[in-house]
């Protein structure tokens, strides 16, 4: 059982969390990891499945928001244009985006024999962060089998920390990785869940804040770090919800991930590719037209604020969870990153 | 009865037009003008009403697309964010945007006593082109009463050419103004109308094309114009439809106004503020939430191509109609612009 | 002498401030107010002049970023396209944008007789927030003379709090208004100043944070407020700098205003039109081409992080300054907003 | 010697072309192909090199514009954010973007040992169109060696038509592929070249226009095609110039590719991923900061119109060249596409 920020008595915001306090609290969402931990190779793949059916034939309403575009994510152009997601979302290291894109295409072709024959092609979604500090990233260790492993090992109660794509990541000068959190928002018409998963690889130690407290300065003193590094790296943020929203509304909602990010101490640094991908599982879109006019359910715009707040708070918490659940790791060239857990007692 | 491009035997594209071949073929849409034609004052206001009810309490799904942002239109930020239109759309000359904005606010306050008291404010939509060649634009002749006149004189069978906001406009070195056209698109689930209204004030004579033919070069020779002017000025394009679409889909649809514009000979010049505003009358949005989840009807994305083609063709035709229906005019400082009609026989 | 957040021993971030710790620390920048405080009329105009010469003939490199587009600001389209600012920036109440736009055009015509005669038109920049809680906004009290007063009373050591456009504003359920702050960033090639001015009218009391501390919850308890309001209203943020940057770089820099905003407790609420306008005073652009290729100085992208941090921190501080310098005010219908200063001792 | 549109006496626009009338008229630019033509495998790779030095250490100012985002191009996010290109540009088929991305990373790592060690990662640029009609796209025939072949076979006098990435493409229901054209624009301060390369795979036959003439309808009659297909497929457009411009100006310039595209008969169909990538070779950006303020040369905005016109005209001509230089091809499942050349005599 991994200890998370709430286990230390720290609650972010006042909204209720979902059952697992993970992105998988949104019904149908699962997450899988393939972890590569072999000497100087510290990297991997994380897969997020928006639902358990065929995503190509039943797309989910989706959206993408680029907080800072110093990043190499694949698939954003079509997601922005059409507002739908038609493949699982993969996260990996920056130099493995080609392999992951190719493997994801491979996987989609296998499950959809009509692609490239009787229908068009497919838009793979791959996000990335640069794990070169711990990982020998030039080796590009990720292979097709790792993508398959991530895609087939999906579960609702997935691991956080230094696993999957998070294996080699660095956050606020400490060990980063995969973290997640969720919130429940209530309306007269029902309760809905908003879940966030982050792949954290950004920030400078001095800037780290924990629920408003300037924890980074204290840790920096203890570590006797001299020169602080810039806010480099990146963060990938995936937002899932069962709230009935249009892709326009969804885009507004996922933009608020920047609020949580800022409160943790990021100033969305130049070198940090900070990208948010979101989807709503309720308004699914068939691949082919059935010749009819369809209906999409959506909330009134005046009802959108709780979703904004939920994303802001869940992102802040997911980032902290990614750091607390990660272990101290020594990787490439003896480079070591400490877990935030080693300092949480002093804060 | 104003002669239009089809009256000269020229048909743009192969889609069927609506009954009037105007934007008002979309049920509920009306257009009104206030024309100022007083010596060197050649300007005015044109108002487009998306429906005949209270637009503030029943907003229409809307969208805006900036083809080239050398323009001063008011209201685009909120339209882009929320995807709804809550006031009539006004068109006028560039230096009268302040007056028109204020007058439109005035009109909205009068009809909605709750604005600024029990509910928030209102987002006025005002587009503009620079009519300084014919009009003494510095005098800013447009006043509150002209806005009221435009708003209260709305009709379905409105005038085209040098009327309303089009009074002083210049297009391809000839007289421009207001022009309109429409198309009918058919699906298994029904037929829908797409209407376009343009306020034309752009283009260099040499570039003018009529249904693909390089008419501008011929006219230029006849006029013995020496130095050709740049593609300056601007064009405002308003697209109306009763097709069930989301604001995202609508944005994709109205972007294709650029296709028609290009085919007339515009290269979307640096100094030309080319802006498209669109709305769909079917998915109306209540000002206040009723605490329920609502439904929006929308076509499948695969069914969107006819709407693209309709906007492209209707925009091209509306531009030509604006030029053919405009009379030759002499304005400020003896500046004269000829009607395209004077040359159509030679082309 | 108005007490500001640093006078209470609270420092935001670790970068050095400019001399006045205001936007006017950027050489050439001045700010003027016209305050309307007459019974239920609590509103006004604030003018920011990027430099003291003719802005139309010597434009400054500029940029705009829409954090949340529930707002009615005028002039963003052309600023986004051309990356230059050619008028003073006015701030006012939402329903007075028409009057302010018209008055600013009037002022520009007066100073530039060539506009609308031998050259084109002008792009007025007007931002707004909704002050309807304290101000009888429907009366639209702002008139041409107030705009002139703001434009002609500019100074470097301007007032903050409930003055000018800030007169009737509300922030985190308390009194908002005008606030400012600045930072100095140092490079091998020199030191530069980044200044921020905010017109604050956003936030829900419960969310207010002061330098990370959840001050809003404490104040809410003391005030015994039952139902918290949503994060409505708006915030206008103006960023000035003498850093040599392109409009693209400037846009990246001003986006980080969202970081400071988030840290104060905003989740960038649905109803809040949060808009940032920025300019750099060093790379000026002549209105007319001189037929030559020009040069713009700009920093390397790797050197941009200090500017990001400066905007984040100065925005956070400017917001707090706006609240601390504002007095408690009773306005329309007896509506009262307390100054944050009344609670700062308890926090 | 491949016959092109001018060899048939048809001139697009009135601007002078460069020496070769190809993108390589821009000094330093080269293009290479790897063609796969093996039974049902009809595909390949085309590489465009912006200059002949190390692109990673000396980046070119770049820009990207998405005309219609139904496409899977890789690398747009960072290009949009930073305005620089740091790798060759690859074009290929849609399902080979993963392989090409990976191979391009491989190539960049080989030439830049510091990537992933002492500096960050690299942003590969890969564009695509769907060649499934002629090509067995599911086989994903493109391999690392094809990418290397394209990158190492670059030349200024490259082939057009059904070569490289163009091998299996389809345009207006006929054979598409690679086409190119260029224009010279003159200013008081010098003459500059603007070159365009297109990978054409879009359009419905009925819509094809040749210099304004509705050629498609005539060809359709001759071919006795019954049911017209939608404007599907895609087009990739690469614009090169030695004009001194900022990335913002470059973005404005490359947007005008849509004008040429429209005039050929595209209405920028729903299923067509129409993406433009541009670069200017004059303002190069060093990978690392040298601690100084740099200078970029740029033209005055008023001087930008000739560049707009050049891109519009060169794009139109490049598309026609792609079709005329392509041979009739029979590919997968006996699918045959005719060359436009077979009909040009009848038009």
């Amino acid at each position: 059982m991994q200890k998370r920020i709430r286990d230390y008595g720290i609650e972010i915001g006042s909204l209720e969390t979902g059952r697992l306090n993970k992105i998988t609290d949104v019904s149908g969402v699962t997450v899988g990891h393939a972890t590569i931990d072999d000497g100087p190779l510290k990297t991997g793949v994380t897969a997020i499945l928006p639902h358990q059916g065929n995503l190509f034939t039943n797309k989910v309403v989706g959206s993408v928001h680029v907080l800072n575009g110093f990043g190499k994510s694949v698939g954003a152009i079509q997601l922005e244009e059409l507002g739908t997601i038609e493949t699982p979302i993969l996260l990996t290291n920056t130099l493995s985006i080609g392999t992951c894109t190719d493997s994801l295409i491979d996987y989609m072709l296998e499950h959809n024999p009509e692609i490239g024959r009787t229908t068009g092609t497919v838009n793979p979604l791959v996000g990335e962060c640069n794990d070169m500090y711990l990982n020998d990233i030039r080796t590009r260790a990720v292979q097709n089998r790792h993508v398959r492993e991530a895609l087939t090992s999906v579960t609702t109660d997935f691991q956080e920390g230094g696993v999957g794509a998070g294996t080699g990541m660095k956050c606020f000068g400490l060990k980063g990785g995969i973290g997640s959190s969720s919130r429940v928002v209530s309306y007269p018409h029902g309760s809905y869940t908003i879940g966030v998963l982050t792949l954290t690889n950004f920030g400078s130690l001095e800037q780290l804040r924990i629920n408003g407290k300037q924890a980074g300065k204290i840790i920096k003193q203890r570590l006797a770090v001299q020169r602080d590094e810039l806010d480099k790296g990146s963060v990938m943020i995936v937002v899932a919800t069962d709230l009935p929203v249009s892709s326009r509304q969804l885009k507004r909602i996922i933009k608020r991930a920047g609020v949580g990010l800022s409160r943790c101490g990021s100033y969305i640094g130049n070198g940090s590719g900070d990208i948010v991908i979101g989807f709503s599982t309720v308004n699914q879109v068939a691949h082919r037209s059935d010749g009819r006019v369809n209906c999409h359910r959506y909330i009134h715009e005046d009802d959108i604020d709780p979703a904004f707040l939920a994303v802001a708070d869940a992102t802040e918490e997911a980032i902290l969870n990614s750091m607390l659940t990660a272990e101290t790791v020594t990787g490439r060239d003896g480079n070591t990153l400490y877990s935030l857990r080693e300092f949480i007692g002093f804060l």
Side-chain angles (χ1 to χ4, degrees), chain A:
Chain A
M1 187 61 185
Q2 297 180 294
K3 281 187 85 173
R4 309 166 89 204
I5 188 71
R6 285 181 187 252
D7 297 319
Y8 296 96
I10 298 172
E11 294 189 11
I12 305 298
S14 52
L15 289 172
E16 191 189 341
T17 72
R19 195 177 62 85
L20 294 167
N21 190 15
K22 291 185 178 171
I23 193 173
T24 44
D25 288 327
V26 178
S27 178
V29 178
T30 53
V31 174
H33 298 299
T35 301
I36 301 173
D37 184 357
D38 183 6
L41 302 177
K42 305 271 184 230
T43 192
V45 179
T46 294
I48 298 104
L49 267 61
H51 67 59
Q52 303 305 303
N54 186 322
L55 275 162
F56 185 73
T57 50
N58 289 293
K59 307 174 203 299
V60 287
V61 165
S63 199
V64 60
H65 178 63
V66 177
L67 287 162
N68 186 46
F70 205 131
K72 288 85 179 170
S73 291
V74 173
I77 291 175
Q78 186 163 321
L79 176 45
E80 176 74 20
E81 182 80 30
L82 301 180
T84 47
I85 291 177
E86 61 185 16
T87 72
I89 302 162
L90 296 186
L91 306 178
T92 189
N93 77 66
T94 315
L95 299 186
S96 292
I97 53 164
T99 306
C100 282
T101 299
D102 195 53
S103 298
L104 186 52
I105 290 172
D106 193 69
Y107 171 86
M108 295 305 294
L109 293 185
E110 190 177 306
H111 289 80
N112 299 279
E114 71 275 29
I115 293 178
R117 288 291 185 258
T118 55
T119 194
T121 55
V122 64
N123 184 48
L125 267 190
V126 181
E128 53 72 37
C129 298
N130 176 1
D131 56 13
M132 64 177 265
Y133 185 74
L134 289 181
N135 177 42
D136 174 8
I137 193 172
R138 288 179 62 95
T139 296
R140 286 175 293 153
V142 173
Q143 294 173 32
N144 187 47
R145 63 187 163 89
H146 301 113
V147 173
R148 290 297 175 123
E149 183 188 334
L151 286 165
T152 53
S153 66
V154 291
T155 173
T156 53
D157 204 9
F158 60 94
Q159 286 286 106
E160 293 171 293
V163 290
T167 306
M169 299 300 168
K170 172 186 177 182
C171 192
F172 289 110
L174 304 173
K175 184 71 190 76
I178 298 286
S180 194
S181 184
S182 72
R183 292 293 182 277
V184 176
V185 290
S186 293
Y187 294 96
H189 44 76
S191 285
Y192 307 90
T193 303
I194 294 179
V196 172
L197 179 145
T198 57
L199 174 64
T200 63
N201 191 51
F202 67 97
S204 70
L205 177 53
E206 173 151 1
Q207 295 287 328
L208 174 63
R209 288 145 165 90
I210 297 183
N211 203 21
K213 188 172 182 183
Q214 305 237 358
K217 287 186 182 162
I218 302 168
I219 298 173
K220 199 179 161 188
Q221 261 184 322
R222 290 195 74 91
L223 278 173
V225 177
Q226 294 302 319
R227 214 178 61 96
D228 201 39
E229 289 177 79
L230 293 174
D231 181 354
K232 289 179 81 167
S234 289
V235 61
M236 294 294 313
I237 303 170
V238 179
V239 178
T241 189
D242 54 5
L243 196 67
V245 285
S246 69
S247 63
R248 181 188 58 72
Q249 291 180 317
L250 187 60
K251 181 152 191 162
R252 299 187 75 207
I253 291 170
I254 68 174
K255 278 185 181 176
R256 274 62 191 179
V259 173
L261 191 58
S262 300
R263 291 184 183 161
C264 285
S266 168
Y267 52 85
I268 311 177
N270 167 51
S272 187
D274 298 349
I275 292 165
V276 199
I277 294 171
F279 56 85
S280 168
T281 57
V282 284
N283 288 318
Q284 298 191 4
V285 178
H287 179 66
R288 288 190 186 281
S289 170
D290 60 0
R292 279 185 287 185
V293 171
N294 295 288
C295 253
H296 265 181
R297 298 169 67 238
Y298 71 99
I299 57 168
H300 193 276
E301 213 78 19
D302 282 358
D303 294 336
I304 209 168
D305 269 317
F308 285 5
L309 185 56
V311 167
D313 287 347
T315 300
E316 187 176 351
E317 184 161 340
I319 291 167
L320 294 172
N321 282 342
S322 80
M323 298 179 72
L324 283 168
T325 55
E327 309 287 327
T328 296
V329 171
T330 299
R332 174 174 78 87
D333 294 338
N335 289 340
T336 297
L337 292 178
Y338 294 100
S339 168
L340 172 58
R341 218 168 50 225
E342 305 200 12
F343 305 95
I344 191 82
F346 303 108
L347 300 175

